[in-house]
Amino acid sequence: MSKVGKRKHTGTLTGIILLILLILSAIFLLYCTTMVFRDQYPDKYTLDKTDHTLTFDTVKAAVSGSEFQLSNEQINTFLNEKITVRSDSENGIEKIRIYLHNDDNSEVYAKLRYRNYSFAFYAQISITTAGSNMKINLSNARLGELAVPDFVVSYALGKIFENHPIIKTDDTAITLDLSIDYTISENNIIHLSLRHFESCEGYAKCRTNNLTLQALKALVKKFA
């Protein structure tokens, strides 16, 4: 075979290889897109029961600073009221449901919205507290049925919760500031914040700061 013939043969072979790689890439991209938009979790992230007593139980226990329990239903009702989006044009969480278990094996299922697209989401979670902040670390995440590497989760969280008033992101974790200020009168404010959160099977053991001393000081100021 002449040199010109060899060059043509090599060029043809290279072109065929590139075409095969292009086809395989397109198939892989189509596969990933299909898997991402599959939603097998609607029954997992949709609440079947609601319980609106979280705030009452928290404040009641905070009077003495004693430990108290919050059920899955109380926590999920609160989260769906406080952190889900209210407008079709917003990026964020449409629905969320946490399943608490022992030993950092808790799970979260959610429906996420980004640029008018909705995605089913799943991850294992571990929950820690620091001051009034609750930090939820995510692992083994899935968008739809597609396993997602950590760097993609980190990027997606940053975009979805960009400029969110309550949620802050850090790598593969989201942080919520769970503190509330109650105004009794002008210049008299009681500050309630989370101090401890421990995941158990179906519920959480919690503790807040003690409001008794704050309340007494506020009352003294009010009636002095």
Side-chain angles (χ1 to χ4, degrees):
M1 184 182 291
S2 66
K3 290 184 178 180
V4 175
K6 287 182 179 179
R7 290 195 189 100
K8 287 183 178 179
H9 177 74
T10 302
T12 301
L13 184 60
T14 301
I16 291 172
I17 292 173
L18 289 174
L19 180 60
I20 292 173
L21 290 175
L22 183 62
I23 292 172
L24 290 176
S25 298
I27 292 173
F28 178 73
L29 182 61
L30 180 61
Y31 168 79
C32 289
T33 302
T34 301
M35 295 291 283
V36 163
F37 281 100
R38 283 186 178 176
D39 185 355
Q40 302 295 319
Y41 311 134
D43 59 326
K44 295 288 189 179
Y45 57 66
T46 302
L47 300 187
D48 52 7
K49 290 194 297 183
T50 58
D51 187 336
H52 300 270
T53 59
L54 181 146
T55 300
F56 175 79
D57 285 355
T58 301
V59 173
K60 182 175 66 173
V63 172
S64 60
S66 59
E67 184 178 274
F68 62 102
Q69 295 182 3
L70 293 175
S71 67
N72 277 346
E73 288 77 17
Q74 287 176 297
I75 294 169
N76 286 318
T77 301
F78 178 83
L79 290 176
N80 277 274
E81 289 176 347
K82 297 298 182 182
I83 69 173
T84 54
V85 293
R86 293 290 180 261
S87 167
D88 290 340
S89 62
E90 292 181 84
N91 297 329
I93 300 172
E94 291 186 44
K95 297 180 181 180
I96 185 171
R97 192 173 180 183
I98 287 177
Y99 295 81
L100 295 177
H101 305 296
N102 296 311
D103 304 323
D104 291 334
N105 290 319
S106 298
E107 304 167 288
V108 59
Y109 290 87
K111 187 177 183 181
L112 307 179
R113 184 191 302 145
Y114 182 63
R115 292 187 176 180
N116 297 321
Y117 293 100
S118 292
F119 306 91
F121 178 79
Y122 163 82
Q124 292 180 327
I125 58 174
S126 62
I127 302 173
T128 56
T129 54
S132 63
N133 291 327
M134 173 186 284
K135 189 172 186 178
I136 304 175
N137 296 279
L138 289 77
S139 60
N140 300 319
R142 289 179 174 272
L143 274 178
E145 294 186 357
L146 185 69
V148 183
D150 285 349
F151 76 91
V152 175
V153 174
S154 176
Y155 176 81
L157 291 176
K159 287 296 183 182
I160 291 173
F161 299 115
E162 189 175 23
N163 301 319
H164 196 283
I166 298 177
I167 297 175
K168 304 300 179 186
T169 64
D170 177 20
D171 198 14
T172 59
I174 62 175
T175 300
L176 296 84
D177 183 3
L178 298 181
S179 61
I180 304 172
D181 289 331
Y182 291 95
T183 302
I184 296 179
S185 62
E186 188 176 357
N187 299 322
N188 284 328
I189 299 174
I190 291 179
H191 182 74
L192 175 64
S193 62
L194 185 69
R195 287 290 182 265
H196 176 74
F197 186 99
E198 179 184 347
S199 297
C200 301
E201 190 61 41
Y203 68 96
K205 294 179 182 178
C206 306
R207 188 186 296 274
T208 68
N209 59 317
N210 191 324
L211 291 183
T212 302
L213 184 58
Q214 289 189 58
L216 289 173
K217 288 180 178 179
L219 288 171
V220 168
K221 287 182 180 180
K222 182 176 181 178
F223 296 107

